[in-house]
Amino acid sequence: MKTGLETLILPAGEAGAQAAARTLAAGGLVAFPTETVYGLGADAANATAVAHIYSAKGRPAFNPLIAHVPDLAAARRIGRFDARAIRLAEAFWPGPLTLVVPKTEHCPVADLATAGLDTVAIRIPAHPVAEAILRAFGGAVVAPSANISGHVSPTLAAHVESDLAGRIDLIIDGGPVAVGVESTIVGCFEAPMLLRPGGLSRERIEAVLGAPLTRPPVEADDDSQPLAPGMLASHYAPRATVRLHAQDIAPGEALLAFGPARLPGQDAAAAIMNLSSTADLDEAAANLFGYLRSLDAKAPKAIAVMTIPEEGLGEAINDRLRRAAVAR
């Protein structure tokens, strides 16, 4: 693991984009904002740099990474797109959608970044800072969330600094992110498959496809190779135990609330944060990781979580919460 680095923090802007491009070209690691969460970027073609991502995050080497590019032409240099993949790309890129497609014959993305798979995960982020960095660099950038692996994903530059200062070269501070959960991942296989719920709802994707998305045959556990990023069973985990579908609050517990309802015992909670007092799922998604981090910092006995509807972005929120609640 590369430790003891001097991690530079720069504001977003032209100078920051150029500094990020130089750092990436030199094999360094750069954290930068996207519309979903902050990503930890490395030159996708540089296997050594990719390895540094895994070591900095403590991320299992069998968990593949997403390659970020500035436009569809760049995406087609590394992945092969059939008609349905093109339709999804044209409908939702730039945006919080990752497409898993077959590699091109001379795909430059390092095998380590694809975990030895014949496919590559690609996305075009809808964020001006990310776009400026990608265009300044000129190549694909693999970028998982900029946090210690398994910890809560970062929605502020301060979250990145807390986890990775001394382990990475540069953080570009672009302020808070807008979406707050990672991209939705769709496998463009014979039958398009929802590999990970995320910042783009299943319903919108199915409307463009004109057909339902299938599900993976099995959920990856912590010892098997997943089909796509973010599919390990225990993931997005705070240090405190997470208790889902809470109906009351026990002494010493913190509460992650949703909506206007109150729970028995709430007045004695160690801390309370409400994802959305108006039960707005978009607002809840944007607040999810930041609020989990804030509650976890209070060192509660556990974090009790109120029930979130399994609809729209609620599917992605519940996916993250179930992974956070897996026994470790």
Side-chain angles (χ1 to χ4, degrees):
M1 182 184 300
K2 292 177 68 177
T3 57
L5 293 174
E6 181 181 351
T7 301
L8 183 63
I9 303 174
L10 294 176
E14 178 62 24
Q18 293 299 326
R22 289 192 299 271
T23 301
L24 291 166
L29 302 185
V30 178
F32 58 91
T34 75
E35 79 278 24
T36 56
V37 298
Y38 272 73
L40 178 59
D43 178 359
N46 183 333
T48 300
V50 174
H52 290 159
I53 284 184
Y54 289 121
S55 61
K57 285 176 59 69
R59 184 183 177 95
F62 51 76
N63 203 352
L65 304 176
I66 297 171
H68 295 68
V69 294
D71 52 45
L72 184 54
R76 297 186 77 166
R77 285 194 286 272
I78 63 175
R80 293 188 282 116
F81 288 70
D82 63 15
R84 287 174 299 189
I86 289 290
R87 194 153 69 241
L88 291 176
E90 291 178 342
F92 298 117
W93 278 355
L97 173 67
T98 292
L99 298 178
V100 178
V101 297
K103 295 178 182 177
T104 56
E105 183 178 358
H106 301 293
C107 177
V109 176
D111 286 342
L112 182 60
T114 61
L117 300 173
D118 293 328
T119 54
V120 59
I122 310 173
R123 144 171 141 80
I124 301 175
H127 195 291
V129 176
E131 181 185 8
I133 291 170
L134 290 170
R135 292 201 180 280
F137 175 60
V141 172
V142 288
S145 56
N147 60 313
I148 297 296
S149 187
H151 197 194
V152 180
S153 296
T155 54
L156 293 169
H159 296 159
V160 181
E161 183 181 11
S162 174
D163 269 16
L164 298 178
R167 296 175 178 232
I168 67 175
D169 301 277
L170 177 62
I171 299 171
I172 301 296
D173 187 349
V177 302
V179 177
V181 292
E182 290 89 345
S183 60
T184 301
I185 302 179
V186 171
C188 297
F189 310 136
E190 183 175 348
M193 183 179 293
L194 181 63
L195 297 175
R196 181 181 74 182
L200 182 67
S201 70
R202 172 203 295 266
E203 293 87 348
R204 291 184 63 195
I205 297 167
E206 290 178 340
V208 169
L209 289 174
L213 291 165
T214 62
R215 275 285 197 176
V218 293
E219 184 87 355
D221 62 32
D222 282 346
D223 297 316
S224 64
Q225 178 169 300
L227 292 170
M231 292 183 67
L232 294 181
S234 177
H235 210 52
Y236 316 106
R239 294 176 181 85
T241 299
V242 174
R243 183 169 69 88
L244 304 180
H245 304 295
Q247 300 296 314
D248 53 27
I249 307 303
E253 287 188 325
L255 171 63
L256 186 64
F258 177 79
R262 294 178 59 82
L263 297 184
Q266 180 171 325
D267 291 340
I272 299 173
M273 300 194 81
N274 196 320
L275 291 171
S276 174
S277 59
T278 60
D280 183 304
L281 288 170
D282 286 357
E283 181 184 13
N287 289 331
L288 177 62
F289 289 130
Y291 284 13
L292 274 174
R293 280 181 175 269
S294 294
L295 292 177
D296 201 34
K298 304 289 186 183
K301 175 182 175 183
I303 299 174
V305 183
M306 291 174 65
T307 297
I308 310 293
E310 190 79 14
E311 60 187 39
L313 290 189
E315 186 175 17
I317 294 168
N318 283 317
D319 176 79
R320 303 308 186 273
L321 289 171
R322 282 190 291 271
R323 294 175 190 276
V326 171
R328 300 182 296 281

